[in-house]
Amino acid sequence: MSNYQSSLSGDFAMSNGHASHKTSTVVDMPKNNLPFVDTMQTNNTSKKSSENSDNNGDENEERGNWGNKMDFILSSVGFAVGLGNVWRFPYLCYKNGGGAFLVPYVIMLFAAGLPMFVIELGFGQFVSKGCVGVWDLAPLFKGLGWAMVIISGMVVIYYNMIIAYIFFYFFASFNKVVPWSTCGNEWNTEFCEVSTKSNSTLIYNTSESNATVTTVTRPAEEFWLNYALGRSEGLHDMGTIRWQLLLCLLLAWIVVFLCLIKGIKSVGKVVYFTATFPYIVLFILLIRGLTLPGAMNGIYFYIVPRFDQLGNPTVWKDAAVQVFYSLGPAWGSLHTLASYNKFHNNFHRDGITVGLINCGTSVFAGFVIFAVIGFMSHDSGMPIEDVAAGGSGLAFVAYPEAIARMPGSVFWALLFFFMLLTLGLDSMFVTLETVVTAIVDELKPWYPNIYDKKTHITGISCVIFFILGWPMTTNGGFYMLTLMDEYSAGFSLILVAMAEALIISYVYGVDRYMRDMMVMLKFKMNIYWKICWMAISPGIIFFVFIFFGVGYKGLTLDDYKYPPWAEFLGWGMVIAALLPVPGYMIYFLYYKAHGTTWKERFFYSLEATDSWGPALNKHRAEANYPLLPDQPKSGLASSGFNKPSLGFNKPSAVKKQWQPPPKMMSNGTTNPAYEANGDNGMRNGFSKRNGSYGSYKKEPVVLGNKLDSVKWSRDKDVPLPYNFETSI
């Protein structure tokens, strides 16, 4: 993801295949249903309906959908491709073996990054809910969804402060000469020196009796530390609010709110510019960089492979961390983005496409950055290894200084910082939308018209986060930002991601997940995904977690070492993000779970809730999920559960689908077919979706004095019926 974490800080096993059965729900089964339905014809009807829906506005009218497919693709690209791709990946590549770093990077992409990316897109699209609502699949773990919301909430606080810094530099560039190009300004010290080939980074003042060394500082560095930040001596000295930064932060939040004012409808249009403009600028900067002297030296340092580095486990850890944080699983944002897709969108293809675009952008950005870094090294006489930097050092010191040495520096500075703005705002939009979507989705059962108030909730959220960001506009604010960057989305995010992979694979059931996805995709996902979800991806995430734990050291910023109380505050952020996980478990087991013993309550809490499944009844019918009673049943291809096949067999093999016959015939006598099959529930007594045998309770419902229809009833001790194909 485009998170700043990737920039600075390095920046039980039970397959829950059984149907849930908790509260009483009834679904009409009209008496004139035929015992068998031609599902091939039904599939064709459903397909045509889906195609028409794609062209006729929102499929989910209450919640809304993306305006079109490109809205989703560009929003996903904007979320995944961010600041980390430009100012983190190139430095990691140079530091960890140059071109050889692409080997572990690509392996981690396909072994962990893409599988986690796709699995979250699939679930979000399947149920049309945000990162909290998707955990109705196993409500015991719903706290993981709230953990994602808290992590995203903490990130948006400091992430928008970074955008405020970029705004500051953007406005500062409106001068005849960029202000960080020279010494002699009010913020400069006596140690300021513009590096050229005729001097070095150290000036030696020697005499016969002694020798002293004075470290020279660069004007771009002093502009950043002394003027932009006004940085104090440490976190203990927060100082006063810097009004310039406060106004920039206010502007950043206003822009975010205006772009989210209509939710995904407005974001989906804004990203046409914000997601594509960075590529135009990167291409222009690459062409300009290649024309500068020394550019090829910088590119050589970037791509020359040093394969001996592949034996270093740190290289593999850095590759996994970069892929993981860049694509952004476990933030909740991917669930949110996909939840606004139409049901039959091909998220499988979209996920792979976005992942490859993200990887390619990182590599391409490296050429752009190191071409200019090579020029700066040539012009200043400094070694490339002393010029190259990652994170804020690249964005606010090294690259601006290189720009200052170019002819027409003001133009290039404006172009560069405007590009950073578009990169950062994309990620900001999606991360904040994750928080807002989770809130409105969870409030809907209590406030049915909550979607009409979404703009108000977005505005209130922006105001709250803006106020929480005030401390970062002080003299000691950058120390606080670095602390939040290190702890708010580090250990906690890795644990959430690992838990997510294991729960979906072993509690919900990976086979059940793949069958659900088959309903949307109309084809079966191959075994590569299954192997990754069950073993490889959680194994890699566990490796990263262990590496983080074993290699943990106290937090530092340049020469400043954070005091113990500051690290204690940082670990408090980790605990705050993870606390909802055990907290919600206790709450659900104690207050909501059914059962006379704790064991019964525990297993009850591992089953999907009644509302789990597609949001619309026409799609629930396709997936053989019970219909929701609060939705009209008109427009369904057939009544009850007789819907298109899940696709376990080839289309030619799927011919008929069994329906429970009515109990009473029109003449008032008992239907012989009911006597033969009704008491035994499903035909042959077997449900393919949940893989279990069982009898099902049918109750005749009398409306007035007439037996009108037969309904299925759900009691907590009676499994729910699901239809299946009889020709296998």
Side-chain angles (χ1 to χ4, degrees):
M1 177 224 174
S2 42
N3 62 72
Y4 196 56
Q5 170 74 23
S6 68
S7 309
L8 286 181
S9 60
D11 269 40
F12 321 163
M14 170 185 174
S15 180
N16 182 27
H18 297 285
S20 60
H21 41 277
K22 299 177 183 178
T23 60
S24 178
T25 305
V26 292
V27 180
D28 285 324
M29 301 291 292
K31 66 179 182 179
N32 60 351
N33 281 350
L34 296 175
F36 294 92
V37 176
D38 189 337
T39 58
M40 286 301 295
Q41 180 180 357
T42 305
N43 275 327
N44 293 335
T45 303
S46 175
K47 183 176 180 181
K48 291 178 181 178
S49 299
S50 176
E51 290 173 352
N52 291 337
S53 175
D54 288 342
N55 298 322
N56 294 326
D58 290 345
E59 185 177 67
N60 189 333
E61 295 180 357
E62 181 182 42
R63 196 170 185 273
N65 297 105
W66 295 106
N68 56 63
K69 188 177 183 63
M70 284 304 298
D71 291 5
F72 168 69
I73 293 290
L74 291 176
S75 296
S76 300
V77 170
F79 170 71
V81 177
L83 297 174
N85 297 73
V86 174
W87 70 18
R88 177 65 183 167
F89 176 84
Y91 179 72
L92 279 180
C93 192
Y94 152 72
K95 187 182 76 170
N96 290 309
F101 181 69
L102 294 178
V103 175
Y105 182 75
V106 171
I107 291 176
M108 293 300 175
L109 174 68
F110 284 96
L114 276 181
M116 293 302 298
F117 193 85
V118 169
I119 200 172
E120 291 194 359
L121 290 181
F123 257 140
Q125 180 173 307
F126 186 68
V127 297
S128 298
K129 291 183 179 179
C131 60
V132 177
V134 296
W135 289 102
D136 284 341
L137 66 92
L140 182 67
F141 303 105
K142 199 168 187 177
L144 287 170
W146 288 114
M148 294 176 180
V149 173
I150 293 174
I151 290 172
S152 294
M154 288 191 290
V155 168
V156 297
I157 295 173
Y158 74 81
Y159 195 84
N160 222 22
M161 189 65 230
I162 302 169
I163 296 177
Y165 293 149
I166 298 172
F167 268 122
F168 182 90
Y169 267 76
F170 180 74
F171 293 132
S173 300
F174 284 96
N175 282 285
K176 292 182 179 180
V177 179
V178 289
W180 55 83
S181 61
T182 60
C183 298
N185 302 290
E186 58 179 339
W187 57 83
N188 293 126
T189 67
E190 65 272 20
F191 305 116
C192 180
E193 181 78 22
V194 178
S195 299
T196 63
K197 290 183 179 181
S198 60
N199 59 24
S200 66
T201 58
L202 293 179
I203 298 177
Y204 295 89
N205 297 320
T206 61
S207 64
E208 293 182 0
S209 59
N210 60 8
T212 60
V213 178
T214 302
T215 303
V216 170
T217 56
R218 292 139 64 182
E221 183 180 4
E222 291 198 349
F223 179 86
W224 165 240
L225 297 178
N226 300 339
Y227 185 65
L229 298 179
R231 200 169 80 177
S232 64
E233 296 298 320
L235 192 60
H236 61 281
D237 180 17
M238 294 299 291
T240 60
I241 291 178
R242 296 178 59 77
W243 66 267
Q244 303 97 324
L245 293 180
L246 182 63
L247 291 178
C248 288
L249 181 62
L250 175 62
L251 176 61
W253 277 112
I254 291 175
V255 171
V256 170
F257 172 70
L258 292 177
C259 292
L260 286 174
I261 195 168
K262 292 186 178 180
I264 61 167
K265 296 299 184 184
S266 54
V267 171
K269 299 300 177 277
V270 172
V271 293
Y272 277 87
F273 174 74
T274 57
T276 57
F277 181 75
Y279 291 95
I280 299 174
V281 176
L282 285 173
F283 182 75
I284 293 173
L285 290 175
L286 176 63
I287 299 301
R288 181 68 182 101
L290 292 176
T291 63
L292 298 172
M296 298 310 298
N297 293 334
I299 292 176
Y300 174 83
F301 268 80
Y302 169 57
I303 64 172
V304 62
R306 301 186 297 277
F307 290 104
D308 58 301
Q309 292 288 322
L310 298 182
N312 185 353
T314 302
V315 174
W316 293 84
K317 185 269 295 183
D318 284 346
V321 169
Q322 177 63 20
V323 167
F324 187 77
Y325 283 115
S326 180
L327 288 177
W331 292 80
S333 300
L334 299 178
H335 303 100
T336 303
L337 286 169
S339 71
Y340 293 105
N341 277 336
K342 294 178 180 178
F343 187 74
H344 289 292
N345 176 65
N346 192 338
F347 70 89
H348 175 270
R349 177 186 59 204
D350 295 345
I352 296 174
T353 301
V354 174
L356 294 179
I357 290 175
N358 176 72
C359 177
T361 303
S362 297
V363 176
F364 178 66
F367 286 94
V368 178
I369 297 300
F370 272 86
V372 177
I373 293 297
F375 159 71
M376 180 179 171
S377 172
H378 172 83
D379 190 67
S380 65
M382 300 168 60
I384 289 181
E385 53 267 25
D386 291 341
V387 176
S392 63
L394 173 66
F396 301 118
V397 178
Y399 207 90
E401 183 174 353
I403 288 176
R405 297 172 181 272
M406 297 181 187
S409 59
V410 171
F411 170 77
W412 297 112
L414 290 171
L415 199 62
F416 174 72
F417 287 112
F418 193 69
M419 178 194 70
L420 292 185
L421 280 176
T422 56
L423 284 171
L425 286 171
D426 279 342
S427 300
M428 189 66 198
F429 298 154
V430 177
T431 309
L432 182 61
E433 180 65 25
T434 299
V435 177
V436 174
T437 295
I439 293 173
V440 296
D441 282 349
E442 293 306 300
L443 288 178
K444 187 180 183 299
W446 290 274
Y447 303 97
N449 297 324
I450 190 65
Y451 291 121
D452 296 335
K453 306 295 183 183
K454 188 175 179 181
T455 300
H456 299 83
I457 295 176
T458 302
I460 293 171
S461 300
C462 289
V463 172
I464 293 174
F465 288 132
F466 168 62
I467 295 173
L468 292 175
W470 283 3
M472 297 181 199
T473 64
T474 63
N475 299 101
F478 193 71
Y479 295 101
M480 177 62 71
L481 186 149
T482 304
L483 183 71
M484 292 192 69
D485 171 66
E486 177 72 16
Y487 289 98
S488 64
F491 285 92
S492 55
L493 192 72
I494 294 172
L495 287 174
V496 168
M498 185 164 57
E500 180 180 36
L502 294 174
I503 291 166
I504 292 176
S505 296
Y506 295 101
V507 178
Y508 185 77
V510 67
D511 290 329
R512 181 180 177 183
Y513 172 83
M514 295 183 77
R515 288 196 293 268
D516 289 339
M517 300 304 105
M518 193 186 307
V519 178
M520 296 188 294
L521 296 174
K522 303 300 184 183
F523 64 84
K524 185 176 181 179
M525 300 176 71
N526 61 49
I527 197 172
Y528 153 75
W529 300 104
K530 184 176 181 178
I531 294 173
C532 288
W533 292 330
M534 295 187 71
I536 298 177
S537 297
I540 290 175
I541 297 171
F542 181 72
F543 157 74
V544 173
F545 175 74
I546 295 298
F547 205 103
F548 263 102
V550 172
Y552 175 76
K553 298 179 181 178
L555 180 61
T556 60
L557 177 62
D558 297 333
D559 296 329
Y560 174 73
K561 179 175 175 58
Y562 281 75
W565 64 265
E567 293 195 41
F568 180 80
L569 180 62
W571 283 107
M573 299 178 195
V574 176
I575 295 173
L578 296 176
L579 197 59
V581 180
Y584 193 88
M585 286 181 177
I586 296 171
Y587 164 74
F588 191 87
L589 288 171
Y590 192 80
Y591 291 104
K592 288 195 170 185
H594 293 178
T596 56
T597 66
W598 286 108
K599 181 179 180 180
E600 291 177 356
R601 289 171 173 264
F602 176 72
F603 282 103
Y604 176 94
S605 64
L606 297 179
E607 298 182 3
T609 64
D610 293 337
S611 62
W612 166 256
L616 302 180
N617 271 344
K618 64 179 181 179
H619 299 139
R620 296 179 73 87
E622 289 184 55
N624 279 1
Y625 277 80
L627 307 185
L628 298 174
D630 59 345
Q631 290 186 22
K633 300 177 179 61
S634 61
L636 298 178
S638 61
S639 60
F641 296 93
N642 303 298
K643 303 305 162 197
S645 150
L646 287 177
F648 296 104
N649 307 289
K650 295 180 179 180
S652 59
V654 181
K655 298 178 181 177
K656 304 291 183 182
Q657 195 170 35
W658 186 82
Q659 284 190 322
K663 182 175 182 179
M664 306 299 294
M665 300 181 68
S666 58
N667 60 7
T669 61
T670 301
N671 187 349
Y674 178 85
E675 290 183 341
N677 298 294
D679 291 337
N680 294 324
M682 305 300 295
R683 183 178 176 91
N684 302 326
F686 183 78
S687 166
K688 279 186 65 175
R689 195 180 81 81
N690 61 28
S692 63
Y693 288 85
S695 61
Y696 301 94
K697 183 177 179 183
K698 301 180 185 64
E699 296 177 347
V701 178
V702 178
L703 301 178
N705 293 318
K706 181 180 178 182
L707 183 64
D708 184 71
S709 63
V710 175
K711 294 188 177 184
W712 295 98
S713 72
R714 299 184 64 194
D715 295 330
K716 68 176 184 177
D717 57 344
V718 180
L720 180 72
Y722 291 94
N723 290 333
F724 64 98
E725 303 82 17
T726 59
S727 57
I728 299 177

